[in-house]
Amino acid sequence: MSIRNYQIKRMIRLLDILFSALGLALAAPILLLLTLIGWMDTGSPLFRQSRVGRKQQPFTLVKFRTMRLGTADVATHLANASAITPFGRFLRRTKLDELPQLWNVLKGEMSLVGPRPCLPKQHELITARAALGVFAVRPGITGLAQVQEIDMSTPEKLAQTDAEMIKTMNLSRYFQYIVQTVMGSGRGDRVRT
């Protein structure tokens, strides 16, 4: 790794820490409100799931629950749309379901920008990502694939897009992906209708 790449990675990690800590502090009232509404919606507002992280190490991803309790533990594109609650639809549309992942970012399990973390059972995607060196970086909340609406239903294309993002990552693109996501680019993983 070149000194320049090392410096960029270090700067991105510092920005991740700063933005996630600031985000959690500023969003605390919203997080509390969404937790209370989620409690009334499903009785279990937070969703925790094992995901594949950097160097293929497992970690527990935290999100707001958008689907009914008892929904099959599958990748989002394999889940049935009828499992999403009305409040869950709102959370997905506004991307507020992602807010708790700021905790994963602060802990160093994720970055704000990186490849979306997959499930351990998504073998085709894991194989494709491993072949392209995608697991060398922390997974992220958003990135090139998300703003281009490429989801996990196309594993090869997703892995190639992730690899392209990693290869071309710089501070400008880091901010670009975040701003595009905040401004509404990308809808996240699609759900079967």
Side-chain angles (χ1 to χ4, degrees):
M1 180 190 315
S2 71
I3 291 173
R4 182 177 178 279
N5 287 344
Y6 175 76
Q7 290 171 334
I8 289 170
K9 282 186 176 184
R10 195 170 160 89
M11 181 60 73
I12 286 173
R13 181 63 194 137
L14 289 173
L15 289 169
D16 280 344
I17 292 168
L18 174 67
F19 292 149
S20 61
L22 191 61
L24 285 167
L26 294 176
I30 296 168
L31 289 165
L32 180 58
L33 178 63
L34 294 176
T35 300
L36 291 172
I37 295 170
W39 194 267
M40 291 184 284
D41 185 47
T42 63
S44 179
L46 291 178
F47 174 72
R48 294 172 184 85
Q49 189 178 53
S50 181
R51 297 288 179 101
V52 180
R54 185 171 164 216
K55 298 180 181 176
Q56 296 191 48
Q57 293 300 306
F59 73 99
T60 302
L61 177 130
V62 184
K63 294 176 75 168
F64 280 121
R65 184 178 300 280
T66 61
M67 297 187 184
R68 290 178 177 72
L69 289 173
T71 300
D73 186 18
V74 295
T76 301
H77 68 278
L78 298 176
N80 197 306
S82 64
I84 301 173
T85 68
F87 181 58
R89 276 195 240 319
F90 165 76
L91 290 174
R92 283 171 172 263
R93 189 173 56 251
T94 58
K95 300 177 186 158
L96 290 171
D97 61 319
E98 309 281 356
L99 273 178
Q101 290 175 72
L102 292 174
W103 179 244
N104 292 114
V105 174
L106 188 61
K107 287 170 60 181
E109 297 165 332
M110 292 179 69
S111 174
L112 290 176
V113 176
R116 286 296 294 154
C118 60
L119 296 167
K121 60 177 94 173
Q122 289 179 284
H123 304 295
E124 188 179 350
L125 179 56
I126 291 169
T127 300
R129 282 179 164 175
L132 295 171
V134 172
F135 291 114
V137 301
R138 288 179 180 87
I141 295 176
T142 192
L144 178 60
Q146 287 67 46
V147 300
Q148 291 186 352
E149 298 189 6
I150 299 167
D151 70 7
M152 294 184 181
S153 65
T154 55
E156 290 289 335
K157 184 177 182 182
L158 178 57
Q160 290 167 3
T161 306
D162 291 338
E164 178 188 338
M165 176 185 63
I166 292 165
K167 185 177 166 186
T168 60
M169 181 58 71
N170 57 36
L171 291 178
S172 174
R173 287 200 169 101
Y174 173 87
F175 285 109
Q176 176 187 340
Y177 298 139
I178 292 171
V179 169
Q180 285 180 296
T181 301
V182 170
M183 298 305 289
S185 291
R187 292 177 299 191
D189 286 341
R190 288 178 280 284
V191 180
R192 287 185 309 181
T193 53

